[in-house]
């Protein structure tokens, strides 16, 4: 008899380049009471800008919120201007690190090799990398989506421990556009990613225009184990509703 696999969903908010420390403080004073009754069957994660990490780490004690960074470098220290070391993150109780988001892939030409190095570095310091993958609109139109995502998965995950890693499937055309990928299609891609990665225990999130109105449907899908939320995580009440998702 095979053991029952339980994948604990991870609901993560990626604030991107938003929120000063004082704004973050105000957000948390509204957000924390709204999630105090959230069931313990899910993890709630916030990824603020680096400057707000210490503000948040002081506020999340005795709450169910965990912290993520929006990046992590593969070296512990050195001449890497504008980068962040895993050592600097763990000091602030950070437990996750987003790597390979489509924005640095696009604006700073991040490669799958660099993303893989970041994921390995995160794991070697006890951080759980959230490795983002996803196709552009043009790639989907040309029928290349599966090939592109498979390459990102295979190269991004090389030599990593899949039990300590999360994948976020984020179709680029759905990010910040209001166009959510249809839940069944997102689920189909997530199940393919699970197959390519070769692990039934792997946690796979969906990201791209997740909002209070679509969270319950997304979370009811069999292969979607959480969400990575951008815009809708900037508003405390809306993100609290997302964290409080309910499945029929
Ligand atoms: P969005 O962003 O929710 O604003 O579409 C998602 C992301 O970029 O992680």
């Amino acid at each position: 008899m095979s053991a029952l696999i339980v994948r604990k969903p991870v609901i993560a908010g990626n604030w991107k380049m938003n929120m000063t420390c004082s704004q973050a403080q105000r957000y948390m004073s509204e957000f924390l009471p709204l999630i105090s009754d959230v069931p313990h069957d899910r993890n709630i994660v916030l990824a603020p800008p680096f400057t707000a990490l210490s503000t948040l780490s002081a506020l999340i004690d005795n709450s169910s919120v965990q912290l993520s960074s929006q990046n992590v470098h593969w070296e512990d220290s050195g001449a890497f201007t504008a980068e962040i070391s895993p050592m600097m993150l763990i000091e602030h109780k950070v437990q996750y690190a987003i790597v390979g988001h489509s924005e640095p892939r696009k604006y700073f030409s991040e490669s799958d090799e660099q993303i893989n190095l970041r994921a390995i570095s995160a794991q070697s310091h006890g951080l759980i990398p959230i490795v983002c993958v996803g196709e552009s609109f043009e790639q989907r139109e040309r029928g290349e989506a599966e090939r592109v995502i498979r390459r990102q998965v295979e190269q991004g995950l090389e030599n990593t421990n899949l039990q300590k890693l999360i994948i976020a499937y984020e179709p680029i055309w759905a990010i910040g556009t209001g166009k959510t990928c249809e839940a069944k299609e997102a689920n189909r891609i997530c199940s393919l990613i699970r197959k390519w990665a070769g692990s039934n225990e792997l946690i796979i999130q969906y990201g791209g225009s997740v909002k209070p109105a679509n969270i319950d449907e997304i979370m009811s899908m069999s292969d979607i184990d959480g969400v990575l939320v951008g815009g809708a995580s900037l508003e405390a009440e809306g993100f609290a509703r997302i964290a409080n998702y309910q499945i029929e």
Side-chain angles (χ1 to χ4, degrees), residues 2-237:
S2 63
L4 180 67
I5 292 167
V6 181
R7 298 188 299 261
K8 190 171 180 179
V10 178
I11 307 298
N14 171 14
W15 286 356
K16 308 190 180 185
M17 198 176 71
N18 294 290
M19 298 270 188
T20 61
C21 290
S22 50
Q23 288 170 331
Q25 222 153 6
R26 278 199 294 280
Y27 178 101
M28 292 306 273
S29 61
E30 189 185 348
F31 182 63
L32 291 175
L34 294 172
I35 56 147
S36 59
D37 292 331
V38 169
H40 294 294
D41 62 355
R42 62 202 71 179
N43 286 321
I44 303 171
V45 177
L46 281 173
F50 300 137
T51 47
L53 281 173
S54 91
T55 306
L56 257 62
S57 76
L59 295 172
I60 57 168
D61 280 342
N62 307 317
S63 84
S64 50
V65 177
Q66 299 174 313
L67 278 188
S68 175
S69 69
Q70 296 179 16
N71 200 5
V72 63
H73 198 259
W74 51 87
E75 295 288 346
D76 287 358
S77 62
F80 300 99
T81 302
E83 288 284 338
I84 190 97
S85 146
M87 310 289 290
M88 298 166 185
L89 298 172
I90 52 182
E91 209 174 48
H92 290 290
K93 296 186 236 159
V94 173
Q95 290 175 261
Y96 304 80
I98 297 172
V99 300
H101 190 278
S102 64
E103 285 148 16
R105 282 186 194 262
K106 178 175 162 198
Y107 299 126
F108 307 115
S109 309
E110 285 249 313
S111 67
D112 287 316
E113 290 72 21
Q114 288 169 321
I115 289 156
N116 177 245
L117 287 175
R118 293 185 192 280
I120 291 172
S121 152
Q123 289 193 329
S124 70
H125 289 85
L127 295 165
I128 296 177
I130 301 177
V131 182
C132 304
V133 300
E135 81 286 2
S136 67
F137 178 75
E138 295 73 26
Q139 288 164 334
R140 180 161 276 261
E141 288 289 289
R142 289 198 297 264
E144 295 170 2
E146 291 179 21
R147 188 177 55 75
V148 168
I149 300 164
R150 185 171 187 162
R151 189 207 65 223
Q152 293 172 338
V153 168
E154 288 177 352
Q155 296 185 5
L157 270 51
E158 214 175 307
N159 298 320
T160 59
N161 175 351
L162 296 183
Q163 290 179 337
K164 298 201 167 110
L165 180 141
I166 294 173
I167 291 200
Y169 168 53
E170 299 206 300
I172 298 168
W173 48 271
I175 295 179
T177 58
K179 282 189 229 152
T180 322
C181 179
E182 216 245 308
K184 286 205 179 80
E185 172 59 7
N187 195 52
R188 186 183 73 84
I189 298 283
C190 290
S191 77
L192 282 174
I193 291 174
R194 193 177 306 291
K195 193 175 90 185
W196 295 327
S199 165
N200 276 332
E201 288 160 43
L202 180 62
I203 294 175
I204 305 178
Q205 298 175 311
Y206 166 76
S209 298
V210 175
K211 42 190 176 260
N214 58 26
I215 184 65
D216 294 343
E217 186 192 11
I218 291 169
M219 288 307 296
S220 71
M221 296 290 128
S222 59
D223 278 286
I224 299 180
D225 314 313
V227 283
L228 184 54
V229 187
S233 73
L234 293 173
E235 202 262 310
E237 200 180 329

